[in-house]
Amino acid sequence: MSYTYQRLSEDNLADFHSLYNEVFKKKATLQYLQKKYNTEYTGLKYVGYLAYDEETPIAFYGGLPQLFSINGRVIKAVHACDSITLPRYHRKGLHTNLALRSYELMKKSDVRFVYAMHSYNTLRATKKLGWKLGESMVRYHYKVSTLPVSRVIYHIKKLNRYYLSLISRQLKKYKRLDEMKNPLINEGFLAQHYSKDYFEYKNFSFNELVEIDGVELWLKFRSKIHIGAFQSDSVDSLKKALSELSSLAKRVGIQEIQFHVSKNSIQDKQLGQIFEANESWSLGFLDFDQTIDYQKLKLNYGDHDTF
């Protein structure tokens, strides 16, 4: 059977939207995907392809352009995400076809590598495409004793807006930040280049940068408090800030604060002195520029496409 292929664009984003919701069983708005895929701050957007059976969108492969930095050098990378195929079109070579088209587009656009935080399914799929396996990230949990208000409200969409307004009011007591430096870059790793433009882009979902007791924290609120990254001068300072954050969690009915960090980073070492470590995602990548030392590639939770 013959299929047609189109690069993702403003003109066919509605097709991607319908495919996204059908396969992922979600109710994402078109506006959400418009904001998520509007990566103009990098100088590049719409890196991916849709497959069609006549006029019906049936599969997608692509990702989000991002800027990474190492030793003062800023380069382009792509975070592969939202790879989807309608179930009845599985095993027809669409995933591979779309991936190879996307990789050629990336190379022509001066993208140096593409990466993902792997689930089991994506890890298996990328092996066939020549991806390399990096290190696993580490996960930490901070349990908070309170009523599970957030878990209940999270599933009631009509109440979400009011609940997030409550959280915003609670955050007013802390210093708000426009940006923060990526703590991984300070350690000499190949890591995402954080800037004011980047954090403005990330506002397609509800997250906040705050400073609590001298510790910079990147927070996302859902049924849990997710920590995208943090910068702390010491373990004692981190403990103090997390104690205050747990008080906030109690006030708004959130029972857990969750971290995903790169192994052997300062964030990992500090958290490891407070909590027990658990395995998290595996990092995978496909390199287009062999002059880069990918052994230094590290990520924060906030780098994830849904954060």
Side-chain angles (χ1 to χ4, degrees):
M1 185 173 290
S2 178
Y3 304 113
T4 57
Y5 303 90
Q6 294 181 19
R7 179 179 173 179
L8 185 65
S9 69
E10 292 179 12
D11 294 334
N12 58 27
L13 198 61
D15 291 339
F16 174 48
H17 174 237
S18 63
L19 180 65
Y20 179 96
N21 281 341
E22 181 174 354
V23 175
F24 287 140
K25 308 299 182 187
K26 292 188 176 182
K27 295 181 180 179
T29 64
L30 178 59
Q31 183 183 39
Y32 168 80
L33 291 177
Q34 286 172 333
K35 290 181 177 180
K36 179 177 177 178
Y37 278 83
N38 183 10
T39 54
E40 284 186 346
Y41 78 96
T42 68
L44 177 65
K45 65 177 182 177
Y46 299 139
V47 179
Y49 280 87
L50 281 159
Y52 289 83
D53 183 355
E54 296 184 350
E55 296 184 359
T56 302
I58 57 174
F60 172 78
Y61 187 97
L64 303 173
Q66 297 173 337
L67 300 177
F68 273 65
S69 178
I70 185 168
N71 299 327
R73 178 188 176 196
V74 178
I75 59 175
K76 289 179 184 174
V78 166
H79 177 14
C81 60
D82 298 335
S83 175
I84 43 180
T85 303
L86 289 176
R88 63 184 179 276
Y89 289 93
H90 285 178
R91 301 185 183 279
K92 297 183 183 296
L94 288 167
H95 177 83
T96 298
N97 192 314
L98 290 168
L100 295 177
R101 289 171 184 267
S102 297
Y103 299 158
E104 286 304 310
L105 175 59
M106 293 175 197
K107 293 175 187 177
K108 291 176 182 177
S109 303
D110 199 33
V111 170
R112 303 309 175 94
F113 67 95
V114 55
Y115 78 92
M117 301 178 192
H118 283 315
S119 65
Y120 172 76
N121 288 334
T122 59
L123 177 61
R124 184 178 58 179
T126 55
K127 282 184 178 179
K128 301 175 183 178
L129 293 166
W131 281 49
K132 298 174 183 177
L133 188 61
E135 66 181 16
S136 295
M137 296 180 72
V138 187
R139 173 169 43 91
Y140 293 96
H141 300 267
Y142 182 3
K143 299 295 185 179
V144 179
S145 179
T146 188
L147 293 173
V149 176
S150 64
R151 283 197 296 167
V152 175
I153 290 180
Y154 181 69
H155 296 288
I156 305 174
K157 297 298 182 182
K158 291 182 179 180
L159 295 179
N160 276 351
R161 185 173 65 179
Y162 301 104
Y163 184 63
L164 293 178
S165 295
L166 168 64
I167 291 173
S168 291
R169 290 196 297 272
Q170 292 290 326
L171 289 173
K172 286 182 179 179
K173 66 178 292 188
Y174 309 117
K175 181 180 178 181
R176 308 289 269 273
L177 305 173
D178 292 327
E179 61 180 309
M180 69 180 290
K181 301 299 182 184
N182 190 334
L184 295 172
I185 290 177
N186 295 338
E187 298 181 63
F189 295 121
L190 171 61
Q192 189 153 182
H193 179 73
Y194 292 168
S195 65
K196 187 175 181 180
D197 288 341
Y198 172 71
F199 287 111
E200 287 179 354
Y201 156 74
K202 273 290 192 175
N203 280 334
F204 65 79
S205 66
F206 181 73
N207 60 87
E208 295 282 355
L209 293 172
V210 299
E211 183 179 308
I212 301 177
D213 292 320
V215 176
E216 295 181 359
L217 294 149
W218 184 8
L219 310 176
K220 181 181 177 71
F221 294 86
R222 299 186 76 178
S223 58
K224 304 172 185 176
I225 298 178
H226 302 271
I227 310 296
F230 67 88
Q231 178 78 54
S232 178
D233 292 336
S234 68
V235 174
D236 287 340
S237 295
L238 179 60
K239 286 181 178 178
K240 188 176 179 182
L242 291 181
S243 177
E244 176 62 32
L245 192 59
S246 70
S247 296
L248 167 63
K250 287 181 181 180
R251 293 196 298 272
V252 298
I254 293 178
Q255 294 183 312
E256 184 179 330
I257 302 170
Q258 188 176 109
F259 307 79
H260 295 261
V261 297
S262 283
K263 280 184 179 177
N264 300 317
S265 64
I266 290 177
Q267 293 174 94
D268 177 31
K269 292 173 183 177
Q270 290 179 337
L271 288 169
Q273 295 183 55
I274 308 172
F275 307 111
E276 182 178 347
N278 300 272
E279 285 293 309
S280 180
W281 301 293
S282 295
L283 170 60
F285 64 93
L286 180 64
D287 54 316
F288 306 134
D289 182 348
Q290 284 72 45
T291 67
I292 296 171
D293 183 2
Y294 295 97
Q295 296 300 313
K296 292 186 176 181
L297 176 60
K298 289 189 181 290
L299 303 173
N300 292 312
Y301 189 7
D303 300 334
H304 197 282
D305 68 290
T306 61
F307 195 93

